Amino acid sequence: GNKSIQAKLVLLGDMGTGKTSLVLRFVKGQFFDFQESTIGAAFFTQILSLNEATVKFDIWDTAGQERYHSLAPMYYRGAAAALVVYDISSMDSFVRAKKWVQELQRQGNPTLVMMLVANKADLETKREVATEEGERYAQENGLLFIETSAKTAQNVNELFYEIGNFFVRS
Ligand code: GTP
């Protein structure tokens, strides 16, 4: 039969960048304009059927508020993939995303797949981080890169398909 893969995935990034919204869009097809801030972390699962395999994602959605920072290693330890999320309308969140990448490079496992996720792509008029800036940082650091909108669903399924396919091929 078909190959079955289980993958632990963690979302990291500044508060309010849309981590929970991306997961809810992917898992439930829902989006809320007033999404509550995550406390600690939240756990979701989703199964993705690809041509050559079925991927079961165990998804840890961490809280972006600084006071929860010390909990993060519990969630990224043993993860197969990390999604580092920033908000294209916030340069601060991009700076914070780079800090997460550095932390993962220092302490994460060497086989961890990292993806830089530029969320809120629908907020084009408020954009502070150029697409090329995110892309260049990703390329220089060996990260996958994608621009998404949890609000419009732009590239959200594509994001998880890309991660899923990465595991199928490796
Ligand atoms: P913490 O749990 O505090 O770390 O936040 P988070 O990163 O999980 O962000 P959350 O999903 O709670 O979203 C924060 C706010 O941004 C909410 O009001 C969402 O509705 C909004 N939001 C999330 N994604 C998008 C998006 O793609 N576009 C727009 N315009 N708003 C978004």
Side-chain angles (χ1 to χ4, degrees):
N2 210 336
K3 196 156 61 147
S4 178
I5 296 169
Q6 187 148 359
K8 178 179 165 185
L9 201 156
V10 64
L11 285 94
L12 300 164
D14 208 354
M15 62 179 290
T17 52
K19 299 178 294 299
T20 303
S21 299
L22 286 165
V23 177
L24 284 182
R25 172 60 79 188
F26 173 56
V27 172
K28 299 186 177 171
Q30 296 175 331
F31 176 81
F32 301 102
D33 279 312
F34 302 97
Q35 179 62 47
E36 280 174 37
S37 196
T38 302
I39 296 168
F43 180 71
F44 300 84
T45 63
Q46 177 68 305
I47 292 169
L48 200 61
S49 292
L50 302 171
N51 284 333
E52 306 122 274
T54 301
V55 182
K56 181 179 178 253
F57 285 117
D58 287 337
I59 304 171
W60 285 101
D61 167 27
T62 67
Q65 290 179 51
E66 189 50 40
R67 65 177 126 151
Y68 298 115
H69 186 172
S70 61
L71 299 178
M74 290 202 306
Y75 301 106
Y76 63 66
R77 203 171 293 139
L83 307 179
V84 178
V85 183
Y86 67 91
D87 168 354
I88 67 145
S89 72
S90 161
M91 185 53 82
D92 285 351
S93 76
F94 182 56
V95 171
R96 187 78 192 86
K98 295 193 233 179
K99 293 255 160 46
W100 277 118
V101 171
Q102 286 163 7
E103 177 169 340
L104 290 169
Q105 285 169 338
R106 271 198 315 270
Q107 306 182 38
N109 83 62
T111 61
L112 180 75
V113 178
M114 278 192 251
M115 184 183 248
L116 187 62
V117 181
N119 191 41
K120 306 200 187 182
D122 57 288
L123 298 181
E124 192 55 51
T125 56
K126 294 182 180 166
R127 181 186 284 275
E128 290 185 0
V129 188
T131 305
E132 304 71 47
E133 200 172 345
E135 246 167 10
R136 188 176 344 110
Y137 180 79
Q139 201 171 14
E140 285 168 0
N141 288 274
L143 319 171
L144 301 170
F145 176 79
I146 196 164
E147 241 178 39
T148 60
S149 168
K151 183 167 183 163
T152 68
Q154 176 194 337
N155 272 350
V156 177
N157 284 339
E158 288 78 359
L159 183 172
F160 290 93
Y161 274 92
E162 194 168 333
I163 297 279
N165 276 312
F166 189 94
F167 290 123
V168 172
R169 293 196 205 100
S170 59

